[in-house]
């Protein structure tokens, strides 16, 4: 692959970097690159083959390199045309290359034409200065980037030769002027010497003749003029110096002005003698002026020939541009018209300087410019028609604007709509000074001003009133911002609604509307900002409260229910309940969720506490049953060694431990207040234990007896049934020597107690 295929140029379009592709796609791209790169290298120099590659290659870089390798302008033009519907990057590259090729061809053709013109001028004698200026101007108009190095070197060589010729020509003319001045001075000097000799000869002849009788008296000649004063001499010398300097510089117009000034100064002397030297300087100046005038007329004739050639070249270019088969470059009408005007102005300037008139040249010049002016005239005719159409369109817009009614009604929607449409349509018609005939411009402007004033003057008055009303709305909004009230936001909403109503009724000018709206919005935004600040503070407070609730739930949820002692669990529950009862407001949307989560966490800890208490209670009941069994065994078999088993049992609550310890020690039991069976019946009824028919009857009889005792006033009154049952249970535990049935009933009662809530019948934590 040649290295120049992928190099980056300043004016080249670099394709965008591809996105990472899948391995299969990358492999396919590499394969295509490897396949087409040799084909591209083999096609170098063959534009047809390169064009096929640019159309068919699947790899973008290969196609771009093929476009860059195209050489012929026709091939680039065909590529630009045929690739228009394919990849836009390839088409842009082809278009760029084609435009560059056309520009290069035109620049090199123009450069060759300038070089040929310079070579022709080099053969002319003397060199025409105006042609040299035109050659320099034409070369500077060419883009040097597109000119071949050989062309640039050839033009530089020709320009140096022309400069040398021009310098030599100027030096020769200067030497010729100096020689003419010297010869003129010598001739004047010889003439003066001859005049002096003639005067001497006449004087000698007069002295040699005899005296003659006195002639008849004649009138006396006028008195001899006075000699020049020093000031007059200085003034004349200064004028001569200025005129000679203008002659040396070749400024014919300045020479003419200085000679006129010298003539005026000599006339003011009233015949005073100039002197031979000043008279010789004056004759030399007049002779040099005549010579320069002749040169000017000769140069003017040459310049007219050059102008005729340029005019005919313009005419030829005009005919070529009009011929579709000539494939000539399109005329740039603006530059073309300026060239025609420049040629006519230069003809007038040369004619003004006194060049000899030539009707044949003038007719050729004028005929060529008429031909060259034809496309300009056609364009001017089109422009004239367009300006007439533009004028009619503007008149129609003014007619429509004048038809809009403007009365005392406060509804300005229709006039404003018409005014806006008029201004937009008027601007779309373009600048007035370029789009309408100049003769109609002033009248159109006057009518436009009158039509606009008919609507804008009352509109401005209405807008001033509307601005005052908006100022009042702004003042009210600013007052709300300075002293916010509870109903500030609804009142601001009302002000905004009023503002919108005003804006719909009569919109102000954009600048005024924008400034007033900015002030009103700043005031209303201040009210909303205050509300937002208060809302933010409340939200922050609610968020803090919610965070506190969340922390409380988190503390409950993170308790290790298996490893934490019950006391700690109970304390945590108490603290959580106390904290939860503290009134804290949380976001309304979170109330239900936070309550549910707290209840769930609280219930989990409470269940853990209850489960632990239940286990401890059941352990106490089991210990009670064991100690009760040991007491019964000790009573049944006195003297048996049961002390170790008794000591191994855990300590019971005091209410239970005391009667059992007394019973274990075989100490006399305190007097019972009720028989054992009655106590069993009462407690079995309290626990709703299953009973036989006989026990059911006994329970009923016991209840009747208690009721009778209560009615007779013999029963003790108690305020706490729970405490009464606890005392019954303690008395029951103190009874010794129970029958097997009673013992069975007592153990059944203990089993029921085991399933009862902790603390029943005097039990509980130690």
């Amino acid at each position: 692959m040649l290295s120049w295929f992928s190099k980056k140029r300043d004016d080249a379009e670099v394709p965008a970097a591809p996105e990472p592709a899948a391995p299969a796609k990358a492999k396919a791209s590499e394969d295509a690159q490897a396949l087409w790169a040799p084909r591209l290298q083999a096609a170098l120099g063959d534009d047809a083959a390169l064009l096929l590659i640019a159309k068919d290659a699947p790899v973008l870089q290969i196609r771009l390199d093929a476009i860059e390798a195209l050489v012929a302008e026709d091939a680039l033009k065909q590529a630009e045309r045929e690739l228009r519907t394919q990849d836009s990057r390839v088409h842009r590259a082809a278009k760029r290359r084609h435009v560059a090729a056309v520009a290069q061809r035109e620049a090199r053709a123009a450069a060759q034409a300038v070089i040929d013109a310079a070579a022709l001028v080099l053969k002319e004698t003397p060199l025409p200065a105006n042609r040299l200026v035109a050659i320099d101007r034409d070369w500077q108009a060419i883009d040097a980037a597109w000119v071949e190095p050989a062309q640039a070197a050839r033009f530089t060589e020709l320009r140096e030769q022309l400069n040398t010729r021009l310098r030599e020509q100027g030096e020769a003319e200067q030497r010729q002027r100096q020689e003419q001045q010297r010869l003129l001075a010598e001739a004047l000097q010889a003439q003066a010497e001859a005049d002096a000799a003639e005067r001497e000869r006449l004087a000698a002849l007069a002295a040699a003749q005899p005296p003659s009788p006195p002639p008849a008296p004649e009138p006396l000649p006028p008195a001899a003029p006075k000699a020049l004063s020093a000031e007059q001499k200085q003034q004349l010398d200064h004028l001569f110096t200025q005129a000679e300097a203008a002659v040396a510089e070749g400024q014919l117009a300045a020479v003419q002005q200085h000679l006129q000034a010298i003539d005026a100064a000599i006339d003011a002397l009233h015949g005073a003698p100039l002197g031979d030297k000043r008279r010789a300087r004056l004759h030399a100046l007049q002779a040099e002026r005549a010579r320069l005038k002749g040169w000017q007329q000769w140069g003017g004739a040459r310049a007219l020939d050059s102008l005729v050639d340029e005019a005919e070249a313009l005419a030829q270019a005009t005919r070529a541009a009009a011929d579709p088969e000539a494939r000539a470059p399109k005329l740039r009408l603006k530059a073309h018209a300026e060239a025609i005007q420049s040629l006519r102005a230069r003809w007038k300037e040369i004619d003004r300087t006194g060049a000899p008139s030539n009707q044949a040249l003038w007719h050729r010049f004028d005929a060529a410019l008429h031909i060259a002016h034809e496309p300009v005239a056609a364009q001017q005719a089109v422009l004239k028609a367009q300006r007439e159409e533009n004028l009619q369109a503007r008149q129609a817009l003014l007619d429509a604007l004048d038809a809009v009614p403007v009365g005392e009604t406060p509804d300005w929607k229709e006039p404003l709509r018409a005014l806006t449409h008029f201004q937009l349509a008027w601007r779309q018609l373009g600048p007035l000074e370029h789009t309408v005939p100049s003769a109609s411009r002033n009248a159109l402007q006057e009518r436009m001003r009158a039509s606009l004033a008919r609507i804008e003057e009352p509109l401005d008055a209405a807008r001033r009133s509307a601005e005052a009303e908006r100022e009042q709305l702004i003042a009210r909004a600013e007052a709300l911002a300075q002293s916010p009230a509870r109903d500030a936001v609804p009142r601001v909403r009302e002000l905004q609604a009023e503002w919108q109503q005003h804006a719909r009724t009569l919109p102000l000018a954009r600048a005024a509307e924008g400034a007033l709206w900015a002030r009103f919005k700043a005031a209303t935004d201040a009210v909303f900002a205050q509300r937002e600040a208060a809302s933010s503070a409340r939200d922050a407070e609610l968020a803090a409260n919610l965070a506190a609730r969340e922390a409380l739930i988190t503390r409950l949820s993170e308790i290790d229910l298996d490893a934490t002692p019950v006391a700690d669990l109970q304390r945590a529950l108490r603290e959580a309940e106390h904290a939860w009862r503290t009134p804290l407001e949380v976001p309304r949307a979170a109330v239900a969720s936070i309550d549910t989560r707290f209840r769930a966490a609280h219930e989990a800890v409470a269940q853990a506490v209850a489960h632990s208490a239940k286990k401890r209670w059941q352990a106490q009941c089991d210990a009670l049953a064991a100690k009760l069994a040991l007491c019964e065994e000790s009573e049944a078999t006195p003297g048996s060694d049961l002390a170790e088993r008794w000591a191994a049992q855990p300590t019971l609550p005091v209410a239970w431990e005391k009667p059992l310890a007394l019973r274990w020690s075989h100490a006399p039991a305190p007097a019972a207040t009720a028989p054992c069976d009655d106590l069993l019946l009462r407690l079995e009824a309290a626990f709703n234990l299953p009973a036989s028919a006989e026990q059911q009857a006994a329970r009923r009889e016991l209840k009747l007896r208690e009721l009778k005792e209560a009615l007779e006033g013999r029963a003790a009154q108690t305020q706490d049934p729970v405490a009464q049952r606890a005392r019954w249970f303690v008395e029951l535990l103190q009874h010794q020597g129970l029958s097997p049935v009673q013992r069975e009933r007592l153990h059944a009662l203990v089993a029921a107690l085991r399933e009862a809530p902790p603390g029943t019948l005097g039990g509980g934590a130690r």
Side-chain angles (χ1 to χ4, degrees):
M1 191 68 180
L2 295 181
S3 60
W4 61 269
F5 281 162
S6 57
K7 70 178 182 179
K8 296 181 180 179
R9 291 170 298 278
D10 293 338
D11 59 344
E13 180 179 352
V14 181
E19 298 181 355
K25 184 176 181 181
K27 183 64 169 58
S29 178
E30 293 176 359
D31 294 343
Q33 182 80 17
L35 176 63
W36 283 86
R39 296 180 59 182
L40 175 62
Q41 189 171 4
L44 294 178
D46 186 353
D47 286 349
L50 289 171
L51 186 57
L52 290 176
I53 293 175
K55 292 190 292 184
D56 299 337
V59 182
L60 175 62
Q61 188 59 47
I62 294 292
R63 299 170 67 190
L64 291 174
D65 290 342
I67 292 297
E68 294 296 334
L70 290 174
V71 177
E73 180 182 337
D74 293 339
L76 289 170
K77 183 176 181 180
Q78 182 180 358
E80 189 271 336
R81 183 174 61 251
E82 294 182 356
L83 297 176
R84 185 171 301 165
T85 58
Q86 296 189 17
D87 193 307
S88 60
R89 290 169 290 185
V90 180
H91 174 254
R92 286 198 298 270
K95 183 177 182 181
R96 174 183 55 76
R97 289 290 320 283
H98 178 242
V99 171
V102 172
Q104 184 184 62
R105 174 177 56 78
E106 292 178 350
R108 292 180 177 180
Q112 189 60 44
V114 175
I115 291 172
D116 295 342
L120 291 176
V121 170
L122 187 61
K123 298 177 181 179
E124 297 184 13
T125 302
L127 293 179
N130 59 331
R131 293 284 297 280
L132 294 178
V133 173
I135 288 173
D136 288 339
R137 183 176 65 247
D138 293 342
W139 184 263
Q140 291 173 1
I142 300 171
D143 190 349
W146 300 117
V147 177
E148 291 183 352
Q151 289 180 320
R154 176 58 177 162
F155 179 78
T156 302
E157 178 185 358
L158 289 173
R159 196 65 185 86
E160 290 177 355
Q161 294 178 5
L162 289 171
N163 290 339
T164 302
R165 285 278 310 281
L166 188 62
R167 183 170 58 255
E168 292 175 352
Q169 179 176 315
E171 292 174 354
E173 292 177 354
Q174 180 68 19
R175 288 194 300 271
Q176 184 179 3
R177 286 196 299 271
Q178 292 175 354
E179 181 65 20
Q180 289 178 351
Q181 291 177 359
R182 185 184 64 79
L183 293 176
L184 179 61
E186 290 178 355
L188 292 175
Q189 182 66 26
Q191 182 65 36
E193 291 176 355
D195 292 343
E198 181 65 21
R199 286 195 298 272
E200 291 177 357
R201 186 182 65 80
L202 293 177
L205 290 176
Q209 291 179 358
S212 58
E218 294 180 358
L220 296 175
K226 297 181 180 180
L228 297 177
S229 64
E231 181 179 359
Q232 291 173 333
K233 293 178 181 179
Q234 184 179 3
Q235 180 183 4
L236 284 173
D237 291 340
H238 178 68
L239 292 175
F240 280 122
T241 301
Q242 289 182 336
E244 289 166 353
V247 168
E249 295 178 0
Q251 298 177 356
L252 182 59
V255 171
Q256 180 67 27
Q257 294 176 357
H258 292 314
L259 287 176
Q260 292 176 355
I262 291 173
D263 292 340
I266 292 174
D267 291 341
L269 296 178
H270 302 293
L274 292 177
D276 295 337
K277 291 183 178 181
R278 292 186 182 87
R279 189 176 294 106
R281 292 175 70 182
L282 177 60
H283 292 325
L285 287 172
Q286 291 173 344
E288 186 64 17
R289 173 186 172 279
R291 188 187 67 81
L292 289 177
K293 186 69 174 177
W295 274 100
Q296 184 186 51
Q297 291 179 351
W298 178 86
R302 299 288 295 173
L304 291 179
D305 291 338
S306 176
L307 290 180
V308 170
D309 293 341
E310 293 184 32
E312 291 177 344
L314 279 180
Q316 184 178 0
T318 304
R319 294 191 190 95
D323 186 1
E325 297 181 357
R327 301 184 64 181
K330 186 178 180 180
L331 290 178
R332 299 177 182 177
L333 290 181
K334 183 177 180 181
H336 193 71
E338 291 176 353
I340 294 173
Q341 293 176 357
S342 174
L343 287 176
R344 290 194 179 276
R346 288 161 60 191
W347 184 284
K348 290 181 180 178
E349 179 64 21
I350 294 172
D351 187 63
R352 186 183 62 82
T353 58
S357 60
N358 189 322
Q359 291 297 322
L361 282 178
W362 164 250
H363 287 305
R364 285 176 57 195
F365 177 78
D366 187 59
L369 289 187
H370 271 91
I371 294 173
H373 192 263
E374 288 177 357
V376 177
Q379 184 192 45
Q380 290 176 347
V382 172
L383 289 176
K384 182 178 180 181
Q386 291 176 350
R387 288 174 178 173
E388 288 294 337
E389 292 178 2
N390 190 284
L391 176 62
Q392 297 299 323
R394 292 179 188 272
Q395 295 285 4
L397 288 177
L398 290 172
D399 293 339
L401 188 64
D402 292 340
V404 175
V406 179
E408 300 297 331
T409 174
D411 187 5
W412 283 92
K413 292 182 181 179
E414 184 61 28
L416 276 174
R417 188 181 299 110
L419 186 61
T420 302
H421 175 267
F422 170 80
Q423 292 171 340
L424 177 62
W426 190 272
R427 286 194 300 269
Q428 289 176 346
L429 290 175
L432 195 65
E433 59 272 14
H434 300 308
T435 56
V436 298
S438 57
S440 306
R441 191 176 304 156
N442 293 335
L444 185 64
Q445 288 178 331
E446 289 295 330
R447 184 184 174 189
M448 179 191 67
R449 283 193 287 267
S451 299
L452 289 176
R454 187 181 72 89
I455 296 178
E456 288 180 344
E457 289 179 358
L459 176 60
D460 291 342
R463 280 179 167 170
R464 286 192 294 271
S465 176
E467 287 184 17
E469 294 175 356
R470 283 173 171 75
E471 290 284 355
Q472 294 176 1
L473 293 178
I474 292 172
R476 290 163 59 187
E478 291 174 344
L480 285 176
Q482 294 173 359
S483 57
R486 294 180 60 87
D487 60 342
V489 172
R491 292 167 65 182
V492 166
R493 300 292 188 196
E494 294 175 359
L495 289 177
Q496 289 177 332
E498 290 185 39
W499 187 283
Q500 293 175 359
Q501 180 61 32
H502 280 283
R504 284 193 296 269
T505 303
L506 180 56
L508 303 179
R510 179 174 299 179
E513 187 77 61
L516 292 173
W517 168 249
R519 291 171 54 198
F520 179 77
K521 187 175 185 299
T524 55
D525 287 348
V527 176
F528 288 121
Q530 293 171 359
R531 184 190 68 167
E532 185 66 24
S535 177
S536 299
R538 176 171 174 78
D539 290 344
E541 180 183 1
L542 294 178
N545 294 342
L546 181 61
R549 294 297 198 200
E550 292 281 357
L552 181 59
I553 295 172
T554 302
R555 286 198 300 272
L556 284 178
S557 302
E558 293 178 350
I559 294 176
D560 189 349
L561 301 179
D562 296 330
T564 305
V566 176
D568 293 343
L569 293 177
Q570 291 174 338
R571 184 174 60 256
L573 280 177
R574 289 193 301 271
E575 291 175 354
E577 290 171 352
H578 176 73
W580 194 264
R581 285 193 297 271
T582 302
L584 288 178
E585 187 178 2
V586 298
R588 184 177 302 174
V591 170
S593 174
I594 204 73
D595 285 343
T596 301
R597 292 170 56 204
F598 176 77
R599 286 195 297 270
H602 183 277
E603 183 65 23
V605 177
Q607 287 180 0
V609 171
H611 181 66
S612 178
K614 185 68 174 179
K615 289 172 59 178
R616 190 170 63 255
W617 170 256
Q618 290 177 350
Q620 288 178 356
C621 292
D622 292 341
L624 174 63
K627 284 192 172 185
L628 183 60
L630 287 174
C631 289
E632 291 173 348
E633 186 177 353
S634 176
E635 292 171 355
T637 57
S640 59
D641 188 8
L642 302 175
E644 292 182 2
R645 293 170 60 189
W646 180 268
Q649 298 297 324
T651 304
L652 297 174
V654 176
W656 295 349
E657 185 70 26
K658 184 177 180 181
L660 288 176
L662 183 64
R663 186 174 175 180
W664 173 257
S665 65
H666 300 288
T673 59
C676 180
D677 289 336
D678 289 349
L679 293 175
L680 288 170
L681 285 173
R682 289 189 178 98
L683 291 173
E684 287 171 349
F687 283 98
N688 196 22
L689 295 178
S692 62
E694 183 181 355
Q695 290 174 346
Q696 291 285 352
R699 286 182 188 179
R700 287 194 297 271
E701 183 181 354
L702 179 61
K703 286 185 177 293
L704 289 174
R705 189 169 63 247
E706 289 178 351
L707 180 59
K708 181 179 179 181
E709 290 176 357
L711 291 175
E712 293 176 353
R714 293 181 294 164
Q717 300 295 327
T718 178
Q719 298 296 328
D720 188 359
V722 177
Q724 181 65 43
R725 295 189 188 101
R727 285 193 298 272
W728 291 342
F729 186 66
V730 171
E731 290 182 12
L732 183 60
L733 293 177
Q734 294 174 353
H735 278 279
Q736 301 178 8
L738 299 177
S739 65
V741 175
Q742 289 175 334
R743 287 198 300 271
E744 183 181 357
R745 291 173 67 187
L746 178 57
H747 283 286
L749 185 61
V750 172
L753 182 62
R754 187 177 185 276
E755 301 301 326
T760 304
L761 300 183
R766 291 187 295 274

